[in-house]
Amino acid sequence: MRKFAVLLLSFFAILFILSSCGGGTDSSSAEGQAEAPKSMVAEPEAPIEVSADGSTVTVRLTGDDMMKYNLSRIEVKAGQKVKLTLTHIGKMNKDVMGHNFVLLKPGVDVEAFANEALKHKDNAYIPAGMEGDIIAHTGMVGGGESTSVEFDAPAAGTYKYICSFPAHHITMKGELVVN
Ligand SMILES: [Cu+2]
């Protein structure tokens, strides 16, 4: 009789283990289900996206409180329309950590341009009289702000872009490569 009780107990123990395993499976599949809509909502946006017909390139550039862009190289094709949005993903004010995107013409001395730009705070650090050195530029943004610019990709070649906020061009720089 006692043996029977032990048997019965172990039978229930096995049942319990089996059911808890089953529960484990259930919860993991529930997690799997929870992940699916999450990834649909989050839908990671590619920093560079080409339209289906190939005519337009959307560029999602970011700048942070550490004086860094997310992209140091942007590749496009000649003639494509470039829609660039710069988002400041930091928290700092634009007076101390402002960011912009300035695409320079080939042959422009970046150092000389940046040294002139820093004198033009009242013009969002776009140096008056040097517009001829610029292919395209955005406005200046602070933490949490965005700014956009649209331009046609210039002729094939490599072009430099910088943030013209004082001293930012040292780390906030990159190349637009037009194929
Ligand atoms: Cu900057």
Side-chain angles (χ1 to χ4, degrees):
M1 193 64 192
R2 201 169 177 159
K3 261 186 178 170
F4 179 70
V6 170
L7 257 167
L8 201 72
L9 218 88
S10 43
F11 175 69
F12 280 117
I14 289 164
L15 257 183
F16 176 73
I17 289 162
L18 280 175
S19 72
S20 64
C21 280
T25 312
D26 276 355
S27 74
S28 70
S29 74
E31 267 170 41
Q33 281 174 349
E35 264 166 33
K38 200 169 144 195
S39 66
M40 275 170 72
V41 171
E43 204 169 287
E45 288 185 308
I48 300 174
E49 201 179 309
V50 182
S51 66
D53 65 3
S55 66
T56 308
V57 184
T58 300
V59 179
R60 299 181 181 96
L61 186 66
T62 65
D64 61 17
D65 285 342
M66 306 299 285
M67 284 177 21
K68 277 181 128 179
Y69 284 136
N70 61 330
L71 300 170
S72 58
R73 184 184 165 93
I74 299 168
E75 227 173 298
V76 300
K77 289 185 178 137
Q80 279 180 323
K81 185 172 280 297
V82 181
K83 292 184 176 181
L84 183 142
T85 300
L86 168 65
T87 303
H88 192 316
I89 57 170
K91 289 191 164 74
M92 293 168 80
N93 191 280
K94 78 172 163 190
D95 287 336
V96 289
M97 187 54 72
H99 297 319
N100 67 359
F101 164 88
V102 182
L103 180 63
L104 298 168
K105 285 192 180 166
V108 172
D109 183 333
V110 175
E111 211 54 44
F113 181 90
N115 286 337
E116 187 57 30
L118 62 81
K119 300 172 193 164
H120 295 261
K121 186 181 181 188
D122 53 356
N123 197 37
Y125 297 108
I126 298 300
M130 292 179 90
E131 290 87 354
D133 288 353
I134 301 170
I135 295 171
H137 72 88
T138 67
M140 188 69 67
V141 288
E145 298 173 339
S146 278
T147 178
S148 293
V149 65
E150 274 188 41
F151 58 94
D152 294 324
T158 299
Y159 302 81
K160 288 175 178 162
Y161 62 85
I162 59 163
C163 170
S164 68
F165 191 92
H168 284 202
H169 69 285
I170 296 162
T171 52
M172 299 188 77
K173 61 184 173 181
E175 285 181 343
L176 176 83
V177 178
V178 183
N179 296 308

